[in-house]
Amino acid sequence: MRIGVLGAGQLGRMLALAGYPLANTFVFYDISGSPSVGLGEVIVDRGGEYLNDFLSRVDRVTYEFEHLPVSIAERIADVKPVHPTPRSLQVCQNREAEKTLFGELGIATPKWKIADSAESLRQAAEELGCPVVAKSNTEGYDGKGQAILRSPEEALEAWTVINHPRLMVEKFVDFSREVSIIGVRGADGDVAVYPIAENIHHNGILRYSLAPAPSVSKTVAAEAKRYLHAIMNELDYVGVLALELFDTADGLVANEMAPRVHNSGHWTIEGAQTSQFENHIRAITGQPLGDTTARGVSCMVNIIGEHGDISRILELPYTHVHLYDKAERPGRKLGHINVTAEHYDELIWRVRNCASFLPGVPEFRCSLAKG
Ligand code: AMP
């Protein structure tokens, strides 16, 4: 099958790497002007002139990034099958729509309010009770376009700094850790869910994902699964969906979701029976879903900004290096390393050893190893 992918970054690259063995080919549609996929055919279209050309070369379309106009996805859906649905894209692009949907589906969220002026931000902060997190309602990612308000008096400054006409204002959640759950739904409605991953961020960027997350009770795991099923069924979803959650004393609280393969699912390449990338391809091409069971325990370490000593890391027998063929730049995702092990103790020292060859990586701390 000829698969068209909207976006042409590392997620597209890994989708193609998983899709070629199943005899698929790939055409990427890039509106950024700087594709980094490095595989398949790439159509760079900053002016929107080549969409029909792109569509004439593919059998169906999916996305690897969600910050593209929904109108493009809708135009495409008139001509070719698009997975997931444009509605999924629309909901994921808009924090208000996303949190409203969560509420309708009985999925716990932080208490929230919308602000459309500095004064309404101040009011929201007062009513919710500080601290609160203010986020641009659209276009935010990796913690960008956000501010924490420790008192309502900080509203004017936060409003000016974020500089966005509409803000999602959330009560600050007192969480013990951040986790995510990734699932895949086939065209026939079949759903498969990966074990929950524990995610460690630094300056808003994901640095480590440990999977399966340790000490997840059966109740919590069942709750997370229920959330995913509810969202995917409601959106008539086909493909991989990622849901980011806060783990709190009162259970899981949903933060946001992504209508695509996700950085916190990269561990599945070597850490699960079937990777998230292969399962996305299987789903959108109408094939049976693959087994989502974990193989031992694993941890993904992101390579950010600088590559570090990759040769030394390649010498370690328990690492799997994935490079995105991108130039070094502060804060840029250049690749990741999957570290695999039989049990957590072994995994923790392996991750720390691997990280010692990566410059600027924060020390590995997780719910099992705090210091
Ligand atoms: P987001 O862009 O919504 O994923 O937010 C980026 C990061 O900010 C999250 O990974 C959390 O670490 C933190 N954060 C976001 N919302 C909240 C919240 N309501 N309470 C506490 N921390 C939050």
Side-chain angles (χ1 to χ4, degrees), residues 95 110 133 135 143 146 170-173 175 178 201 244 246 255-256:
R95 293 186 190 275
V133 189
K135 309 175 176 181
Q146 296 192 12
E170 295 171 11
K171 176 96 180 150
F172 192 89
V173 177
F175 56 82
E178 293 187 65
H201 298 86
E244 295 181 42
F246 301 122
N255 178 27
E256 62 178 1

Side-chain angles (χ1 to χ4, degrees), residues 330-347:
R332 197 175 199 199
K333 289 178 183 163
L334 304 175
H336 71 270
I337 299 155
N338 284 342
V339 180
T340 52
E342 301 270 314
H343 50 79
Y344 290 120
D345 287 349
E346 188 178 54
L347 184 68

Side-chain angles (χ1 to χ4, degrees), residues 19-36:
Y20 282 122
L22 297 176
N24 299 292
T25 57
F26 289 82
V27 183
F28 295 90
Y29 183 76
D30 173 83
I31 56 170
S32 74
S34 54
S36 63

